[in-house]
Amino acid sequence: MVSEYPLDFVLSHRKYLTFIIGGGIGLALSLIVTYAFTTILQLWHMFSYVFGLAAAIIFTFAFHRQVTFNNKSKARDRLIKFVAVTLVLAGLNWLLVLFFTEGLLVFYVYAIFGVTFGISIINYYSNKHWVLSSDYSKTFKINHSYSVS
């Protein structure tokens, strides 16, 4: 149920909205790098996009760790998880952009926007519940205690 009051909606979805803002900044950074490498350096847009994704990955980890989830503990473990999730999603992102641009002939900037939005939902839940979870002790650990009756 959606609240009648916009402020209630914003407050109840604050963390996701912050995640989207950070992701939006990462997307802008990715687009700027991709566009610059494509137009100025005359590189193939998909090769340029690799550099754009790399810049966005570095920025978004720092932003989400510090701002969105405010979780500065276990930085090394979280970075490893973040990189693993991000590489999988970046690979999927790259392949989908390739499909839309080369297969369906969608302009690469539009393809990047659309694909990035779709993947952001998966990315948010991966970060919230696994990578940057505030309850690190309960994230995907197996309980080895058995009770014998």
Side-chain angles (χ1 to χ4, degrees), residues 16 19 23 60 64 69 82 85-86 89 116-129 131:
Y16 181 68
F19 186 85
T60 55
H64 294 319
F69 298 103
F82 185 84
V85 167
T86 302
L89 292 178
T116 300
F117 175 74
I119 288 186
S120 73
I121 297 166
I122 299 167
N123 194 11
Y124 174 74
Y125 285 102
S126 298
N127 278 283
K128 180 181 178 183
H129 295 292
V131 176

Side-chain angles (χ1 to χ4, degrees), residues 8 17 40 90 136:
D8 290 343
L17 293 172
I40 297 168
Y136 188 78

Side-chain angles (χ1 to χ4, degrees), residues 14-132:
R14 182 190 61 79
K15 196 170 283 198
Y16 181 68
L17 293 172
T18 304
F19 186 85
I20 293 300
I21 290 168
I25 295 168
L27 173 61
L29 179 62
S30 174
L31 285 169
I32 290 167
V33 170
T34 302
Y35 188 79
F37 279 41
T38 301
T39 58
I40 297 168
L41 300 178
Q42 299 293 304
L43 298 175
W44 181 43
H45 66 276
M46 294 307 298
F47 187 64
S48 298
Y49 192 41
V50 169
F51 292 101
L53 284 173
I57 288 167
I58 293 165
F59 169 79
T60 55
F61 175 73
F63 183 89
H64 294 319
R65 184 171 168 257
Q66 297 287 329
V67 178
T68 306
F69 298 103
N70 192 25
N71 197 327
K72 298 168 190 86
S73 68
K74 304 204 184 278
R76 183 178 168 273
D77 293 345
R78 294 179 192 285
L79 179 61
I80 290 168
K81 288 180 179 181
F82 185 84
V83 168
V85 167
T86 302
L87 287 177
V88 169
L89 292 178
L92 178 61
N93 187 316
W94 192 90
L95 289 171
L96 288 171
V97 169
L98 179 67
F99 170 74
F100 282 109
T101 59
E102 302 297 318
L104 301 180
L105 303 177
V106 174
F107 180 55
Y108 72 92
V109 173
Y110 299 150
I112 290 170
F113 267 107
V115 169
T116 300
F117 175 74
I119 288 186
S120 73
I121 297 166
I122 299 167
N123 194 11
Y124 174 74
Y125 285 102
S126 298
N127 278 283
K128 180 181 178 183
H129 295 292
W130 188 51
V131 176
L132 295 166

